[in-house]
Amino acid sequence: MNGEDFEEKIYISAELIRKSNFIVVLTGAGISAESGIPTFRGKDGLWNKYSPQELATPQAFYKNPSLVWQWYSWRRKIIKQAQPNAGHYSIARIESIKKEKFFLITQNIDGLHQRAGSKKVIEFHGNIFREKCISCDFKKYSEEIYEDIPKCEKCGSILRPDVVWFGEPIPQSIIEESARIVKEADILLSVGTSSVVYPAAGFIEYFISSGKKVIEINIERTPFSDFLVHISGKAGEILPKIVELLEKT
């Protein structure tokens, strides 16, 4: 992409967001990678070092909950040390500009969007700092780094991370709320997502098939890149440029 094409796409994106009646932002691991959090599917992803079947499935947890908790405690350490980047702050700024005409759906479990100031957030895959009991309805927020398996304060059973593992469905309430928001929106901003993980990728598919506008910011092209406004690059470099134009009027 030459410089003129890049600047034109920045301008087009800002105008689409400015004129939108309701924008939904969909984020994936790419935006968190810019804060130093390893991705699952990138060249330097976590899955290149560990097998997901060993660590991020219900079967793995029930087979060896201690190993799984060691891994999640390690991930918590990395996330706690990380800071939101310019991409996170820019999305929070877009929310403040669009006000009620905005919603964010994130596939990330790190909470960096909230730390950057985002308020209207759906955590599609859960949150690494939430825990839930495998036997009762007990849940809690915790940033603790465990050496032993945590126990439920209500029934004494064991706790697990409140995240969606491979082979598990997205909670129905999350699916329904996300679908309602996606149907209401007239523009979708996709940031740092591979667009291959369903059902989240289905939101982009729905927008394209409905003739609605989609802006995609990602380092690599995705299966949908030919059907939308694709800007290649880092969210932390591109989104501030879009926000700068939004703030000029």
Side-chain angles (χ1 to χ4, degrees):
M1 184 192 306
N2 62 44
E4 290 184 2
D5 286 343
F6 179 80
E7 293 301 328
E8 182 181 6
K9 287 186 176 183
I10 294 292
Y11 176 79
I12 289 171
S13 298
E15 285 301 298
L16 287 172
I17 294 171
R18 188 197 320 279
K19 295 175 181 177
S20 66
N21 292 317
F22 192 107
I23 178 173
V24 60
V25 179
L26 176 67
T27 64
I31 190 169
S32 292
E34 295 178 36
S35 290
I37 298 174
T39 67
F40 289 154
R41 290 177 172 78
K43 294 177 181 177
D44 299 317
L46 285 175
W47 290 159
N48 292 336
K49 302 172 185 175
Y50 301 98
S51 165
Q53 286 73 27
E54 292 174 342
L55 300 168
T57 66
Q59 295 81 2
F61 184 76
Y62 290 115
K63 179 181 178 181
N64 194 340
S66 178
L67 174 65
V68 172
W69 264 117
Q70 286 176 31
W71 186 57
Y72 274 94
S73 289
W74 171 71
R75 292 181 67 190
R76 279 183 175 181
K77 285 182 182 178
I78 294 174
I79 292 169
K80 287 174 71 174
Q81 293 168 358
Q83 297 297 323
N85 61 62
H88 294 104
Y89 287 112
S90 294
I91 290 172
R93 182 61 187 138
I94 292 172
E95 178 178 352
S96 68
I97 292 170
K98 300 300 290 185
K99 297 182 172 61
E100 295 303 313
K101 300 176 180 179
F102 173 97
F103 226 103
L104 167 62
I105 301 172
T106 183
Q107 299 170 83
N108 300 330
I109 62 172
D110 50 46
L112 288 180
H113 282 296
Q114 291 91 329
R115 286 167 58 187
S118 291
K119 295 178 175 61
K120 299 176 71 175
V121 184
I122 292 177
E123 293 177 314
F124 206 66
H125 292 151
N127 188 306
I128 195 170
F129 297 110
R130 281 200 312 267
E131 302 162 8
K132 64 181 181 180
C133 180
I134 65 170
S135 301
C136 73
D137 60 357
F138 178 78
K139 289 187 179 185
K140 73 172 184 177
Y141 182 89
S142 173
E143 296 185 6
E144 189 169 345
I145 307 300
Y146 294 114
E147 294 184 3
D148 298 314
I149 301 169
K151 299 295 179 64
C152 176
E153 299 167 17
K154 185 176 179 181
C155 74
S157 187
I158 65 175
L159 298 175
R160 56 161 282 182
D162 189 9
V163 298
V164 178
W165 282 328
F166 289 102
E168 290 185 322
I170 306 293
Q172 189 61 30
S173 60
I174 296 294
I175 290 285
E176 291 175 357
E177 185 180 9
S178 299
R180 177 186 61 78
I181 290 165
V182 166
K183 287 181 180 179
E184 184 178 351
D186 58 350
I187 184 170
L188 185 148
L189 173 60
S190 173
V191 182
T193 176
S194 60
S195 299
V196 297
V197 179
Y198 285 79
F203 298 146
I204 302 173
E205 205 168 54
Y206 165 78
F207 258 76
I208 293 172
S209 64
S210 300
K212 297 182 179 182
K213 299 296 183 181
V214 181
I215 303 164
E216 176 183 77
I217 298 172
N218 202 46
I219 292 177
E220 299 174 345
R221 295 183 69 81
T222 75
F224 300 117
S225 295
D226 291 337
F227 307 100
L228 41 74
V229 179
H230 172 83
I231 309 177
S232 295
K234 294 182 177 180
E237 297 173 357
I238 294 170
L239 283 171
K241 295 179 182 294
I242 293 174
V243 169
E244 183 180 359
L245 290 178
L246 285 174
E247 291 178 329
K248 284 185 176 179
T249 57

